[in-house]
Structure formats: structure tokens, C-alpha cells
Amino acid sequence: MKILGIETSCDDTGIAVYDNKFGLIINKLHSQSSFHDKYGGVVPEIAARNHLDQIFLFLQKFKNKQNFFNSIDSIAYTAGPGLAGSLLVGATVACSLAFSLDVPVIPVNHIEGHLLSPMLDNKNLNFPFLGLLISGGNTQLIYAKKIGVYELLGKTLDIAVGNLFDKIAKALGLKYPGGPNISKLAKFGRNGIFKFPRPMLTNSNLNFSFSGLRTFIEKLIKCSDKSFQIKSDIALELEETIIEIFIFKVYRALKLLNLKNLVIVGGVSANSRLRNCFFDFSKKNNFNLFLASKKYCTDNAAMISYVGCLKFRSGIYSTNTDVFVDPKWCINNLNR
Ligand code: KG4
């Protein structure tokens, strides 16, 4: 059984094929970051147009492979959350292709894709688990009960943590996407030079807020001498602050729900300092930590084709090929 997966939720065009027997057999990704970096963030109109160009280049190549399309059993695509224009490109291509091949189409929630991405190369991950999704567009704590059944426990009340990294990187004169560049700079930072506020730790919920922190750091950068050393100190303290906030909230959620399995996914989970701190944290507190391998942290179609395969196998699909997208599709509500 082969499932073609299409991912176009933001600025990465992904196409993958997951085979029930052999695992991931195709995984192509085209990053648009060079088109967006001069703007310091993703421009939705540019992203949608770029997906349209790129997706046909990928499909054109597959067309030349013998019997490629006839061997596909179903097509899974990211239906949300994401940028409306970008989602519509992937959805329209997926539904048209499914209609012409006469195979079912499976709309996949992008957050569910991320949450299950560690399963691509670690079959020991089982439900239930606590998921921390940290990406450019989302910051969420999720109680994953079973495939397709999730409860949103907390989320950012303003900007996502990846967006915070991108905005601070821009203020420091670094390129988009900012996370990896902040991480490189932080290696030269000195401990304890700055102390940033840790928002939302004194209340009792599981939400996050990063826009006040963003203003605090941007003001600090403006008043600083912008030397390489000071920029590195700021980058290090930004990482330390974020990690402390996440460890605090994750610990609270794990205790509250009495869960033993912790999953951390999304682009920001590629951060090496964060990965190391969570390894130490899980060892010390006896939790099982599951991280997606770095190649699956940022947006990709591998996770979409994988979720598509799980749903197809469980009979969770319909033969309806109507285009469906929901830019705000919440993980709580997967049964549309
Ligand atoms: O999952 P993803 O592709 O999500 C969205 O596009 O929404 O994640 C992209 C985000 C960007 O904000 C990027 O700055 C951040 O992940 N990121 C990182 C690192 N690598 C990527 N943030 C911190 N440290 C990293 N090493």
C-alpha cells in the first residue's frame, strides 16, 4: 500500500510516498527560504505562487517513473492549519489527482503530522503521550490519546516561538529562518550576562506568551552596542529562557495527566541546546522522550504520507474528493 503525501501549509513544498511495507520510499522537499529571507518572514502570496511552480516540477519528474501514479493507493494532503493560499494549492492538486486516479483523498491535520513524525523512525512511541509542538506558526501542548483523538491543553496567546526566533534574528541582523542562526550565535554567548523575563510561569494554566518577551529583547538590542559578543550573549539567553519556559510547562502537564511519554516536534525542536536539556530533564525525571530526527523537525511531506497511511489502514477516509482546507483547523476537532 502506497500513500502519496503533499505538504504546502507554509513555505516548504513537500512530496513523499510512504509504503506500508517498506516505509518512506520518496521524500522531496523544496525550501522557499531564499525567496522570503529579504522580508524577514514568509510572504503568503509569494509562498502560494512558489508552491504552484514547485509542485508541478516534482510531479513532472514522478510522471517519468514507470507505473508511478498507478501504484498509488491514496493521496494525503495537509488541509490545515496553515496559510490559506498555500493550503489551497496542495489541496487542489491532491484532490484533482485523486479524482483522476480514482483513489481516496485524505485531508491531514498539519499538527497531527508533526505529532506523529517521531514514529517515522521510532516504532517504540505509543499512545497516550504529551506533545509539545514548537514551530514557526504554532506553539501548543497537546494530550494525544489515540490516533485522531487529541486534546489541546495550552497554546501561545500571541506569536509562536519560532516566530519569536525569526523576529529576534531579524533584529540581530541575521537571515531568515532565524532559529538555526540564533543557535549558531548562542554557542559564543556567555552565561548570566542578561536575564530575560519568563512570561506566564506564575499562572496556573498551560498557555504561553512571547510577544512581551519579543518587545523586551528588541528594545535591549536597540540600546546595545550590537557587538558580536553582545549579540551572542542575547542569543544564548533567548535559548535559555525558552527552554526554561518549556520545561516548566511540560513538567506541569506531565504531572497533571500522569503521563510518561513526551514528544517534542516542529522546527524549533531541531535546536540542539533544547534537545540536550530535554534529554537531561527526561532522564532525571524518568520520562520517555521522543524527538523527531532533525530532517523531520521542520515542515515535510513524510509525516503527511505517514499519517495518511495510518488513516488509510484504519479505514479513516472517504471517497469524497471535494477540496477541503481550514487555515485554523484545530487538533481538537479532526472529525469534520
Ligand atoms: O516546523 P516549521 O517548518 O514550521 C513552520 O513553518 O511553521 O518550523 C520553522 C521554524 C522557524 O521559525 C525556524 O526559525 C525554527 O523553526 N527553527 C529553529 C531551529 N531550526 C528551525 N528554531 C530554533 N533553533 C533551531 N535550530
Side-chain angles (χ1 to χ4, degrees), residues 125-141:
L125 169 59
N126 291 313
F127 291 95
F129 62 81
L130 177 73
L132 174 66
L133 168 75
I134 41 180
S135 71
N138 298 283
T139 306
Q140 301 187 352
L141 261 176

Side-chain angles (χ1 to χ4, degrees), residues 10-12 114 135-137 162 165-166 177-180 266-268 270-271 297-299:
C10 187
D11 61 337
D12 293 305
H114 272 301
S135 71
F165 272 97
D166 295 336
V268 181
N271 185 284
C297 284
T298 46
D299 292 347

Side-chain angles (χ1 to χ4, degrees), residues 73-74 103-107 308 311-320:
D73 294 284
S74 177
V103 295
V105 70
I106 306 174
K311 302 224 162 178
F312 189 74
R313 248 177 16 199
S314 318
I316 311 172
Y317 63 88
S318 83
T319 46
N320 185 345

Side-chain angles (χ1 to χ4, degrees), residues 9-12 42 110 114 133-138 160-166 176-184 239 265-272 274 294 296-300 303:
S9 66
C10 187
D11 61 337
D12 293 305
V42 178
H110 181 74
H114 272 301
L133 168 75
I134 41 180
S135 71
N138 298 283
V161 65
N163 194 246
L164 171 70
F165 272 97
D166 295 336
Y176 173 84
N181 294 321
I182 295 256
S183 189
K184 278 183 207 148
E239 285 192 337
V265 288
V268 181
S269 72
N271 185 284
S272 302
L274 181 135
K294 284 198 180 181
Y296 303 133
C297 284
T298 46
D299 292 347
N300 64 82
M303 63 188 193

Side-chain angles (χ1 to χ4, degrees), residues 17 45 101 114 118-119 155 189 191 227 263 284-285 316 334:
V17 176
E45 180 67 23
L101 296 174
H114 272 301
M119 292 181 181
K155 61 178 178 135
N191 263 314
S227 64
V263 165
K284 204 167 130 202
N285 294 286
I316 311 172
L334 294 194

